[in-house]
Amino acid sequence: MCTDRTSLTLPARLPIDAWLRIGRNLTATADSAAWWLGDWLVYGQDRYPERYRRAIDETALDYQTLRNYAWIARKFTPERRRTGLSMQHHAEVAALPPVFQDLWLDRAEQGGWSRNELRRRIRSTAASDTRPQALATELRLAVSHARRSVWEDAAERANCDLTEWMLRVLDAAARGRGLQHEPLRAAMAG
């Protein structure tokens, strides 16, 4: 086997078990790299806020992808991460409260579920009326790119992802706090 940055050359006669083992190793490396990038971005955002965007530019990866990596890394401290599950498994449950995150990750780990199977089971549970509490409700909102950019910048300054920042602001507003009220400004700032 020979590798470089842009290719993987395999021997002409490679037994299937060796080929499968290589695939598992490559998958584990790719998933580890996603976690590492998330942790790297969180470190940079916490310590060099003015350089965070430059760090994103340096990777040549999509801005939203890297923000997602950082968001997931923040949601799951290293001791809560399941080595038997991919970052994508964690992404499926990241928006849930921690108790439900752990519940679903435990189930996925014990059942050997793929990320798609985890997603399917979460959706079917949320859609059924047999559980008294809903796991989550999805809300879609159409906004201009300029407005979203302003909101993302505010969320970044507050050291949280856009969804978390929006929920804080909306919760503060729902509790009857006006936009000029000090606690709302604190919620918006983090």
Side-chain angles (χ1 to χ4, degrees):
M1 182 170 80
C2 181
T3 62
D4 64 31
R5 182 165 165 71
T6 60
S7 69
L8 170 68
T9 305
L10 300 171
R13 294 186 180 265
L14 183 67
I16 191 160
D17 59 326
W19 178 77
L20 290 170
R21 185 175 54 255
I22 291 168
R24 283 190 299 273
N25 290 339
L26 291 171
T27 300
T29 300
D31 192 58
S32 295
W35 282 114
W36 298 335
L37 281 166
D39 290 337
W40 175 72
L41 288 164
V42 168
Y43 180 94
Q45 187 177 22
D46 289 346
R47 287 164 183 81
Y48 319 114
E50 69 282 358
R51 294 188 181 105
Y52 181 71
R53 286 197 187 272
R54 181 166 178 218
I56 289 173
D57 292 340
E58 293 294 323
T59 64
L61 293 172
D62 178 73
Y63 173 78
Q64 190 59 49
T65 298
L66 292 173
R67 280 190 61 93
N68 289 347
Y69 288 168
W71 180 68
I72 296 164
R74 276 195 192 285
K75 291 287 187 175
F76 295 95
T77 56
E79 59 276 359
R80 288 192 61 229
R81 298 174 189 173
R82 312 302 171 87
T83 58
L85 299 175
S86 70
M87 181 185 240
Q88 295 308 311
H89 283 87
H90 291 77
E92 288 298 323
V93 300
L96 300 174
V99 67
F100 287 117
Q101 291 171 350
D102 292 333
L103 172 77
W104 283 110
L105 291 176
D106 285 345
R107 290 177 178 176
E109 201 167 37
Q110 291 164 2
W113 298 345
S114 67
R115 188 271 324 217
N116 288 343
E117 179 65 13
L118 174 60
R119 176 184 289 176
R120 186 189 69 71
R121 290 186 184 231
I122 290 170
R123 287 182 178 172
S124 69
T125 300
S128 77
D129 293 331
T130 60
R131 292 188 59 127
Q133 73 276 10
L135 293 178
T137 299
E138 185 174 333
L139 176 65
R140 295 189 183 269
L141 182 64
V143 298
S144 69
H145 290 292
R147 178 174 273 171
R148 180 182 173 123
S149 180
V150 168
W151 291 353
E152 286 175 338
D153 289 344
E156 191 172 308
R157 284 191 308 273
N159 270 343
C160 58
D161 66 274
L162 180 58
T163 302
E164 183 180 336
W165 178 84
M166 291 172 71
L167 291 173
R168 286 182 186 179
V169 171
L170 290 171
D171 286 344
R175 287 190 296 269
R177 298 177 180 160
L179 287 176
Q180 306 309 321
H181 198 272
E182 187 61 35
L184 178 57
R185 283 199 301 269
M188 292 171 62

